[in-house]
């Protein structure tokens, strides 16, 4: 069964939940090289990071202490390729899974290889500078090893016209099924639900924005310039179970902004992060005042929106100040999200600081 929700004729004053974004915790990691946090372990609370300068993985504790640093870059039996694109905790089987354009590796907790899978996808994405994404793997009820998207990453533009000529029925994701070492195309998408353009048209220029929700066994999918969010079941081969279609008037940017992130906010609904650009004239004025001004780092151009699953309504939530909006934005579960604090420009960087926020109901 497919449920279509249209957010067009509701009164925003009838929101069941009136949410706010509140800082609840923070930590500092003492390190003079810049790294990126890729994943969070739900049980231990540890974080997995990667340092492209030292080419090493970091396991970071809840208080910011570096528990482990591992460098296995090379061609040896326990080593990983220099061209890794993703990494994540393998929370079900234990250890870490890392991925390159043609390989998936499962390490145990001691960083010894338990399994190495090779594959040759029809379409590949090469990432420079080490892993930039959380490994897009998921489990199915009938399998005990991970299934992984081979080249379908958030905010990376995909040549959908070319891909649809390769896939048998217009699917957009090639999945490596590690239980039988096979590559299978999944998720046929009717792009008319997401955009007015077709993949072969000049105006079609979309990057996927998605979240693999392990708790509900679903893929939340939208595109950077789309106002529709689809929910697909992972256990029934990406069957579309719900589609939420929004209208331009629900957003401060009039629908002209760009989706950056989509994620669940427990059973209350969905959260999306949008970026709104500015006119060339306004950008010129900003640069006259500050020659180092960069719109992508301007937190005032970013906004969270909460979509209530009960009333189908949209609530705007301001983006916090002094946060790097185009750096780590990692959903932690339980309505929480990790974000990187903006570095001070007047001091030498010898640490990275993070804040944890929670979406919660406003107190009256």
């Amino acid at each position: 069964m497919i449920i279509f929700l249209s957010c067009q004729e509701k009164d925003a004053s009838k929101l069941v939940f009136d949410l706010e974004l509140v800082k609840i915790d923070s930590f500092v990691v003492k390190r003079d090289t810049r790294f990126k946090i890729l994943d969070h372990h739900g049980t231990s609370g540890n974080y997995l990071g990667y340092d492209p300068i030292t080419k090493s993985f970091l396991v970071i504790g809840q208080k910011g202490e570096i528990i482990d640093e591992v460098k296995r870059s090379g061609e040896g039996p326990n080593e990983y390729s220099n061209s890794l694109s993703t990494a994540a905790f393998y929370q079900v089987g234990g250890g870490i899974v890392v991925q390159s354009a043609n390989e998936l590796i499962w390490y145990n907790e001691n960083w010894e290889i338990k399994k190495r899978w090779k594959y040759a996808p029809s379409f590949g994405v090469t990432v420079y500078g080490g892993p930039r994404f959380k490994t897009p793997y998921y489990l199915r009820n009938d399998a005990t090893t991970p299934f992984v998207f081979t080249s379908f990453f958030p905010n990376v533009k995909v040549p959908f016209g070319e891909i649809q000529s390769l896939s048998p029925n217009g699917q957009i994701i090639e999945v490596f099924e590690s239980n039988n070492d096979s590559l299978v195309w999944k998720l046929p998408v009717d792009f008319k639900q997401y955009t007015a353009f077709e993949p072969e048209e000049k105006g079609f220029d979309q990057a996927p924005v998605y979240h693999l929700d392990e708790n509900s066994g679903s893929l939340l999918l939208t595109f950077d310039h789309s106002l529709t969010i689809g929910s697909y079941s992972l256990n029934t081969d990406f069957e579309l179970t719900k589609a939420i279609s929004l209208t331009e008037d629900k957003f401060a940017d009039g629908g002209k902004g760009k989706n950056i992130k989509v994620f669940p906010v427990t059973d209350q609904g969905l959260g999306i992060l949008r970026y709104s650009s500015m006119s060339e004239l306004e950008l010129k004025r900003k640069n006259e005042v500050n020659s180092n001004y960069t719109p992508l780092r301007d937190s005032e151009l970013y906004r969270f929106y909460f979509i209530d699953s009960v009333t189908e309504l949209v609530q705007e939530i301001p983006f916090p100040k002094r946060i790097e909006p185009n750096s780590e934005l990692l959903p932690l579960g339980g309505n929480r999200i990790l974000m990187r604090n903006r570095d001070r420009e007047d001091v030498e960087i010898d640490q990275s600081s993070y804040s944890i926020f929670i979406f919660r109901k406003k107190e009256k």
Side-chain angles (χ1 to χ4, degrees):
M1 179 178 68
I2 302 174
I3 302 174
F4 290 92
L5 303 178
S6 179
C7 303
Q8 295 185 14
E9 299 180 358
K10 301 286 185 177
D11 181 359
S13 65
K14 296 180 181 178
L15 271 169
V16 173
F17 296 99
D18 188 12
L19 299 185
E20 61 182 350
L21 186 61
V22 179
K23 181 177 176 179
I24 58 171
D25 202 358
S26 63
F27 62 88
V28 173
V29 181
K30 296 288 187 180
R31 191 176 183 84
D32 57 7
T33 54
R34 186 73 176 253
F35 60 90
K36 181 174 183 177
I37 290 180
L38 300 168
D39 196 14
H40 172 255
H41 197 284
T43 302
S44 68
N46 293 337
Y47 299 93
L48 177 66
Y50 182 79
D51 187 329
I53 305 299
T54 62
K55 297 181 181 179
S56 58
F57 283 99
L58 309 173
V59 178
I60 302 167
Q62 299 181 60
K63 297 181 180 180
E65 70 277 18
I66 297 179
I67 298 173
D68 198 6
E69 180 169 359
V70 178
K71 183 177 180 181
R72 294 281 172 83
S73 177
E75 302 299 330
N78 269 332
E79 294 177 329
Y80 47 76
S81 164
N82 288 325
S83 58
L84 289 181
S85 53
T86 75
F89 289 116
Y90 188 28
Q91 303 206 37
V92 176
I96 310 289
V97 286
V98 300
Q99 177 187 17
S100 66
N102 60 359
E103 186 176 46
L104 178 67
I105 305 175
W106 176 12
Y107 284 99
N108 64 18
E109 289 83 352
N110 297 319
W111 289 86
E112 299 165 335
I113 291 182
K114 294 189 67 172
K115 183 73 174 179
R116 185 192 292 265
W117 293 276
K118 295 278 189 178
Y119 50 80
S122 304
F123 174 79
V125 174
T126 300
V127 175
Y128 298 99
R132 290 174 48 197
F133 311 99
K134 177 181 177 180
T135 305
Y137 78 86
Y138 66 96
L139 299 175
R140 273 193 1 194
N141 292 338
D142 58 351
T144 58
T145 54
F147 291 18
V148 63
F149 300 167
T150 61
S151 57
F152 192 74
F153 304 135
N155 302 108
V156 175
K157 293 191 181 297
V158 178
F160 288 109
E162 178 183 346
I163 284 180
Q164 290 198 322
S165 68
L166 298 173
S167 62
N169 296 304
Q171 294 100 331
I172 64 171
I173 303 177
E174 193 170 21
V175 176
F176 175 70
E177 299 185 341
S178 61
N179 63 332
N180 56 19
D181 292 347
S182 63
L183 286 164
V184 184
W185 285 96
K186 305 278 188 179
L187 189 59
V189 165
D190 180 3
F191 282 106
K192 293 180 181 178
Q193 294 181 9
Y194 292 97
T195 174
F197 299 99
E198 293 292 335
E200 63 272 11
E201 296 182 39
K202 185 177 180 180
F204 189 96
D205 190 18
Q206 300 273 319
V209 178
Y210 68 83
H211 178 85
L212 282 165
D213 186 4
E214 300 170 4
N215 294 326
S216 65
S218 63
L219 168 73
L220 300 175
L221 174 67
T222 185
F223 294 88
D224 51 353
H225 296 293
S226 177
L227 298 181
T228 296
I229 303 171
S231 178
Y232 299 83
S233 172
L234 300 176
N235 289 307
T236 57
D237 261 349
F238 297 93
E239 175 190 6
L240 178 62
T241 58
K242 181 187 294 185
I244 300 175
S245 296
L246 307 173
T247 53
E248 293 87 348
D249 60 305
K250 301 299 179 183
F251 303 102
D253 55 38
K256 298 179 180 179
K258 179 180 179 181
N259 295 323
I260 302 296
K261 199 89 174 174
V262 60
F263 51 93
V265 183
T266 66
D267 58 352
Q268 300 173 3
L270 306 176
I272 58 174
L273 175 66
R274 287 175 64 83
Y275 165 73
S276 302
S277 58
M278 59 178 59
S279 67
E280 292 185 7
L281 179 59
E282 188 175 0
L283 177 58
K284 182 179 179 181
R285 291 172 180 169
K286 292 275 189 180
N287 284 329
E288 288 175 352
V289 177
N290 179 6
S291 59
N292 295 321
Y293 175 80
T294 303
L296 289 175
R297 296 193 63 197
D298 188 346
S299 60
E300 293 185 0
L301 299 180
Y302 293 79
R303 291 177 176 85
F304 285 107
Y305 293 89
F306 171 69
I307 305 169
D308 192 294
S309 61
V310 177
T311 63
E312 308 165 23
L313 296 171
V314 179
Q315 177 191 351
E316 179 184 327
I317 302 175
F319 191 87
K321 297 180 179 179
R322 294 182 293 279
I323 293 293
E324 287 282 2
N326 58 345
S327 189
E328 290 99 323
L329 293 162
L330 186 65
L332 304 179
N335 290 19
R336 298 171 302 143
I337 187 168
L338 172 82
M339 291 187 272
R340 187 185 184 99
N341 297 332
R342 191 183 299 276
D343 295 328
R344 290 181 55 182
E345 298 180 357
D346 58 338
V347 297
E348 185 176 349
I349 297 175
D350 60 358
Q351 64 182 34
S352 296
S353 62
Y354 293 88
S355 294
I356 298 174
F357 292 82
I358 189 170
F359 292 91
R360 72 181 187 190
K361 189 177 180 180
K362 284 184 180 180
E363 299 179 357
K364 300 297 184 182

